[in-house]
Amino acid sequence: MLEGFIDYQEAALPDLTEYKPGTAFSGVIGRTVDQSEPAWPEPLRAKEGAPNVLFFILDDTGFGQLGCYGSPINTPNLDALAANGLLYNNMHTTALCSPTRTCVLTGRNHHSNGMACITEGSTGFPGANGNIPFENGFLSEILHQYGYNTYAAGKWHLTPADQVSAAGPYDRWPLGRGFERYYGFLGGDTHQYYPDLTYDNHRVEPPKTPEEGYHLTEDLADRTISFIADSKQVAPNKPFFFYFATGAMHAPHHVPKEWADRYAGKFDDGWEAYREQTFARQKELGIVPRDAKLSRHDPDVKPWDDCSAEEKKLYARMMEVYAGFLEHTDHQFGRILEFLRSMGELDNTLIMVLSDNGASSEGGPEGSVNENLFFNFVPESLEENLAAIDELGGPKHFNHYPWGWTWAGNTPFRRWKRETYRGGISDPFIVHWPQRIKAKGEVRTQYAHATDLVPTVLEALGLEPPTSIKGVAQSPIQGASLAHTFDDANAPTKHNTQYFEMMGHRSIYRDGWRAVCPWPGTSFAEAGEGFGTPISAETLTELDANDWELYHVAEDFAENRDIAADNRPRLIEMIAQWYVEAGKYNVLPVDGRGQQRLGMPRPQIAAARSSYTYYPGTQEVPMNAAPRITNRPHSITADVEVPSGGAEGVLISQGGIDGGYTFFVKNGKLQYLYNYVARNFYHVESNVEVPEGSHLLRYEFEVTGEPDILKGIGAAGRGQLYIDGELVGQVDMPVTNPIMLGLASGVAIGADPGAPVTLEHYQGPFPFTGTLHSVTIDVSGDLIEDDEATMRAIMARQ
């Protein structure tokens, strides 16, 4: 019988009858099996020989920072892709990360996707609410319908900020938008040694520690290789779409020291020398026109010759760290390419490499060892930065280079990320597909935008965009395909008009011309205003009347000659066209605010309340789903049981090395530490030991001074410790974080995971060894009242 069964299987399998799901059964159903003929729902299969698709999205990488774009930084793997494929010199993004990423994945403009700013900067308007409409389908959702495996690894930053907690909803997480597997971080940036990791729909810890050699980019490459291998070893003919988006090159610029040391002395000549050398190399490579002119010296950038010897030493090292970080990133991507080559899949993989915006200026004029300073309006300190010089790139700091290197990184253009001059929106773009593209190492000059990737992929694969996804009718794709440029360097562009708006900075491209209305001005120095300056209706009217510039970029590659005065009719036409596009794509209202948006109230999935109770063993609560305790009175109460012999460990923590707080027990004492942007640390310890048994351990913050947010000063206050209602310690805190506690880490119960809030008082995660029933944060303002005599006595006993 068994032999007959095997013969039946071998004979029957090649001749299976299939029918399309949703149509009538095409077999025969009799009274018994011998009178019947089976048929099977047809499995979802891609076209035979369909190529894989791989997007590599770099973060904060300027036009002049890859080796193949003229940079002195070594990027051999990306250079090889360009040499064996195509390099585009006229690709554009939105000037910011989340908005560009929505364009890349949907083929629609960022305001059409509700992503005028990053998700944490959403406002209550259709073009800026942070909710990507389901009618704007992702490429992952489209290709999944055509039989592709769909994977994502790395930075996401596309879920509304209040929806990234364990409470969901999950429909705007990667797996809710067409990806079958995901491994990475959901926010805008993360610590490269202690990342906040999500695997599919749940949080996980990194597989090893920094001391064991952990780095996020290497981990992402490992996971990418494993996802591809898992599928290909079972179904080698099934194509994949992989969205690989590193945290690099966004701050923190984290890389093992040996990689940074490769560039020792390479940048000692300064940023002007970098620009001149890179620009000359760009001309040699044919990336910029021979008659192009280098843009002016930026007024916000201190001339290198005016920097002190100490400044030069610091700034050069910061750039060495960045360069090492970029080469390290290129190396990890090279491992993915080598794996595809070893499988025989590289030549039939359509690879597109793109940066999400120009080089970042979030390090300020002097660079930073803690990017959280920028988000809290706290000025940098050269002395603090110099003190950290030997530790840059390591896990202790959240470092970022200064404006001079930002400006140089966008060579030959002016300005940078968040602004819509070409320095903020013109980005590296490489296409590699040997099995289809015959041209090798050629430059393409056609105008292109991030919205063009989706239609390009669909045309290249011979696929039609679906009319509906999961029952939702789809909106028209707004980008234009570049597939016709693959084998024709002289093919006309199909993308003739493109608007830009980012935090009030506006521009528009049309048929070789660009009009730009900079905000707050052509530079901060010339405007007398800084980033994030609000725009009133009166100001907008004045800007439209007087402040638009006009450039003929077809002849003036780097936007050097403002010819608005000589071409007034054309300028007026382009301004009018900007408003047409603004109406079409939900761009209005124009909003110049920057960091201020981060503190705006937004709808939450749970009704507003004054008390939040958390439990041990649960996932970390992300920053935007946690109670807002900045600049307001609040209390934290832990319900614990201390066993015989005592207990120690963290009860609750929020934030990390860049800022936050931790409430813990150590050496028998109840303790609280507040980390003000890694600059000041306020610590209080109880004057008695925590007794054995059941107790309520409480911390209170009483506001004693008003905040001055735009100066980086949060509300002053008094921190107090209580054991079962009895005051046992207090500390005055003259300043607190005005906006954000930490950039990445949320509320953790019973431990301080990742990069801990304090490196001095314990080694993370320092879990609590007693029994922790719950922790409650109360923001009602209901605090214990203590008389002055009690408080003086407590202070005297500390």
Side-chain angles (χ1 to χ4, degrees):
M1 291 294 293
L2 182 59
E3 182 178 348
F5 173 71
I6 294 174
D7 291 343
Y8 170 78
Q9 275 194 314
E10 291 177 347
L13 282 176
D15 300 318
L16 291 178
T17 300
E18 298 178 346
Y19 61 95
K20 291 200 175 290
T23 63
F25 174 72
S26 60
V28 176
I29 300 177
R31 290 191 305 150
T32 59
V33 170
D34 61 313
Q35 295 178 331
S36 306
E37 296 179 8
W40 300 85
E42 181 182 81
L44 184 61
R45 299 187 184 98
K47 294 180 180 178
E48 187 65 30
N52 309 303
V53 179
L54 171 61
F55 283 2
F56 178 21
I57 307 301
L58 285 160
D59 209 318
D60 289 0
T61 303
F63 189 88
Q65 289 184 318
L66 300 183
C68 52
Y69 278 80
S71 168
I73 301 173
N74 296 321
T75 53
N77 294 291
L78 292 174
D79 297 354
L81 288 185
N84 199 41
L86 301 174
L87 182 152
Y88 286 73
N89 74 351
N90 211 1
M91 168 58 75
H92 298 80
T93 58
T94 69
L96 201 63
C97 53
S98 298
T100 293
R101 291 159 195 267
T102 71
C103 299
V104 165
L105 284 169
T106 70
R108 284 85 168 183
N109 284 297
H110 61 299
H111 291 90
S112 297
N113 289 320
M115 203 71 72
C117 185
I118 57 175
T119 60
E120 296 86 352
S122 59
T123 58
F125 301 99
N129 61 26
N131 288 262
I132 304 172
F134 292 112
E135 57 263 31
N136 295 356
F138 280 33
L139 183 59
S140 46
E141 295 173 305
I142 296 171
L143 293 184
H144 184 263
Q145 291 191 3
Y146 283 106
Y148 275 68
N149 278 134
T150 53
Y151 309 130
K155 175 173 173 174
W156 182 243
H157 210 200
L158 297 176
T159 302
D162 59 294
Q163 297 180 20
V164 296
S165 74
Y170 292 90
D171 52 0
R172 285 186 167 91
W173 287 40
L175 269 61
R177 295 308 309 249
F179 289 103
E180 297 171 304
R181 303 182 73 180
Y182 171 71
Y183 184 82
F185 59 100
L186 296 177
D189 63 13
T190 193
H191 201 287
Q192 296 289 310
Y193 298 105
Y194 296 105
D196 291 318
L197 286 175
T198 294
Y199 196 151
D200 293 340
N201 280 349
H202 64 281
R203 301 261 174 171
V204 295
E205 292 300 314
K208 54 186 179 181
T209 66
E211 292 75 20
E212 295 169 327
Y214 181 84
H215 191 282
L216 176 60
T217 313
E218 181 177 352
D219 188 13
L220 295 176
D222 288 345
R223 196 67 59 173
T224 297
I225 291 169
S226 71
F227 281 3
I228 295 171
D230 285 346
S231 171
K232 289 293 186 179
Q233 66 188 2
V234 175
N237 294 327
K238 186 173 186 179
F240 64 79
F241 167 52
F242 211 113
Y243 178 75
F244 180 70
T246 60
M249 297 300 295
H250 198 290
H253 298 163
H254 280 162
V255 70
K257 186 175 183 295
E258 60 269 21
W259 290 85
D261 287 349
R262 296 181 182 190
Y263 291 90
K266 293 289 181 67
F267 306 108
D268 289 354
D269 290 342
W271 30 70
E272 293 95 347
Y274 179 106
R275 292 186 86 226
E276 292 166 1
Q277 293 162 11
T278 298
F279 187 52
R281 181 65 176 148
Q282 288 173 338
K283 286 192 173 184
E284 290 175 11
L285 294 171
I287 295 166
V288 304
R290 281 286 177 182
D291 60 354
K293 305 295 182 184
L294 191 60
S295 61
R296 67 173 183 165
H297 195 294
D298 196 287
D300 288 332
V301 173
K302 187 175 184 178
W304 188 258
D305 288 343
D306 292 351
C307 296
S308 68
E310 285 189 325
E311 287 175 317
K312 290 179 179 179
K313 179 181 177 182
L314 172 67
Y315 301 158
R317 183 56 181 173
M318 286 179 159
M319 186 58 189
E320 291 167 11
V321 171
Y322 179 89
F325 190 21
L326 180 52
E327 184 175 352
H328 178 266
T329 302
D330 176 86
H331 176 77
Q332 304 307 326
F333 185 60
R335 293 175 50 227
I336 298 172
L337 299 178
E338 182 54 38
F339 176 72
L340 293 176
R341 183 180 290 109
S342 69
M343 296 180 68
E345 295 285 344
L346 183 60
D347 284 357
N348 197 31
T349 299
L350 171 56
I351 299 174
M352 293 183 170
V353 180
L354 178 69
S355 174
D356 60 0
N357 46 245
S360 170
S361 62
E362 285 151 18
E366 297 176 336
S368 178
V369 296
N370 183 4
E371 196 190 14
N372 200 19
L373 297 170
F374 167 81
F375 290 103
N376 281 289
F377 291 104
V378 180
E380 294 290 340
S381 164
L382 178 62
E383 291 73 24
E384 289 179 3
N385 292 352
L386 280 166
I389 190 170
D390 293 333
E391 299 170 325
L392 296 178
K396 187 175 179 180
H397 301 288
F398 224 86
N399 50 292
H400 192 300
Y401 57 25
W403 283 349
W405 294 121
T406 310
W407 170 59
N410 292 322
T411 301
F413 306 119
R414 64 166 71 185
R415 302 305 283 173
W416 41 56
K417 175 183 177 180
R418 303 193 312 265
E419 301 185 16
T420 69
Y421 281 120
R422 292 203 69 185
I425 60 172
S426 293
D427 289 284
F429 180 56
I430 300 168
V431 178
H432 182 270
W433 188 15
Q435 191 159 308
R436 162 66 175 80
I437 300 175
K438 305 308 177 187
K440 309 295 181 188
E442 295 184 6
V443 175
R444 292 290 181 265
T445 61
Q446 289 84 359
Y447 189 88
H449 186 264
T451 54
D452 297 341
L453 271 66
V454 168
T456 300
V457 169
L458 295 180
E459 181 179 347
L461 271 56
L463 304 177
E464 291 292 328
T467 57
S468 69
I469 294 176
K470 299 177 184 176
V472 178
Q474 293 297 287
S475 67
I477 289 176
Q478 296 162 0
S481 174
L482 292 166
H484 68 296
T485 71
F486 286 173
D487 292 319
D488 186 357
N490 299 312
T493 182
K494 295 181 179 179
H495 201 132
N496 299 305
T497 301
Q498 179 62 47
Y499 82 93
F500 298 88
E501 188 279 332
M502 187 54 60
M503 289 176 273
H505 204 289
R506 295 174 291 157
S507 60
I508 185 167
Y509 169 87
R510 191 168 191 183
D511 295 330
W513 294 78
R514 262 178 47 82
V516 184
C517 188
W519 180 255
T522 51
S523 69
F524 303 139
E526 292 165 322
E529 300 280 0
F531 166 71
T533 302
I535 298 175
S536 67
E538 293 78 12
T539 300
L540 184 63
T541 298
E542 184 177 339
L543 289 170
D544 284 339
N546 302 308
D547 285 49
W548 281 86
E549 303 165 356
L550 183 65
Y551 301 95
H552 191 191
V553 289
E555 298 177 358
D556 179 15
F557 190 73
E559 295 179 331
N560 288 309
R561 300 184 300 277
D562 176 11
I563 52 177
D566 299 328
N567 294 271
R568 189 71 180 168
R570 182 183 293 274
L571 179 64
I572 292 172
E573 178 186 345
M574 293 190 72
I575 296 171
Q577 187 65 44
W578 187 91
Y579 276 99
V580 169
E581 302 298 301
K584 189 186 304 183
Y585 299 119
N586 290 329
V587 180
L588 298 177
V590 175
D591 188 349
R593 295 171 300 168
Q595 297 103 314
Q596 302 96 313
R597 302 189 196 195
L598 303 179
M600 289 183 61
R602 297 178 180 86
Q604 300 291 315
I605 57 171
R609 60 193 193 274
S610 60
S611 182
Y612 300 77
T613 299
Y614 301 110
Y615 303 95
T618 54
Q619 293 187 30
E620 185 177 299
V621 179
M623 170 183 63
N624 287 284
R628 293 187 176 274
I629 63 172
T630 52
N631 307 311
R632 66 192 302 189
H634 59 273
S635 66
I636 302 173
T637 304
D639 182 357
V640 306
E641 288 186 25
V642 178
S644 176
E648 67 174 7
V650 172
L651 304 168
I652 182 174
S653 65
Q654 183 176 1
I657 61 167
D658 55 328
Y661 68 84
T662 175
F663 189 33
F664 62 102
V665 178
K666 185 181 178 185
N667 298 328
K669 302 290 186 70
L670 181 62
Q671 305 187 45
Y672 178 91
L673 181 138
Y674 189 91
N675 177 342
Y676 170 68
V677 294
R679 177 167 291 176
N680 299 328
F681 297 85
Y682 303 109
H683 175 235
V684 57
E685 178 181 295
S686 64
N687 57 19
V688 298
E689 292 191 357
V690 179
E692 298 173 0
S694 298
H695 301 284
L696 294 178
L697 309 180
R698 183 178 175 96
Y699 166 79
E700 290 189 351
F701 178 77
E702 177 185 354
V703 173
T704 60
E706 293 296 318
D708 191 345
I709 292 176
L710 295 182
K711 292 184 178 179
I713 298 172
R718 178 178 296 119
Q720 297 182 320
L721 298 179
Y722 292 87
I723 299 177
D724 297 327
E726 180 181 350
L727 182 62
V728 294
Q730 68 179 32
V731 61
D732 286 329
M733 301 162 62
V735 63
T736 56
N737 292 358
I739 300 177
M740 299 177 68
L741 290 172
L743 290 178
S745 300
V747 174
I749 305 302
D752 186 359
V757 174
T758 174
L759 297 173
E760 178 183 352
H761 292 83
Y762 55 73
Q763 182 176 351
F766 197 43
F768 185 63
T769 58
T771 300
L772 177 61
H773 296 296
S774 66
V775 179
T776 298
I777 299 177
D778 189 290
V779 293
S780 67
D782 185 14
L783 304 178
I784 296 174
E785 294 187 9
D786 304 289
D787 59 54
E788 288 295 324
T790 301
M791 290 192 288
R792 285 197 300 271
I794 289 298
M795 293 302 293
R797 292 163 60 188
Q798 293 199 61

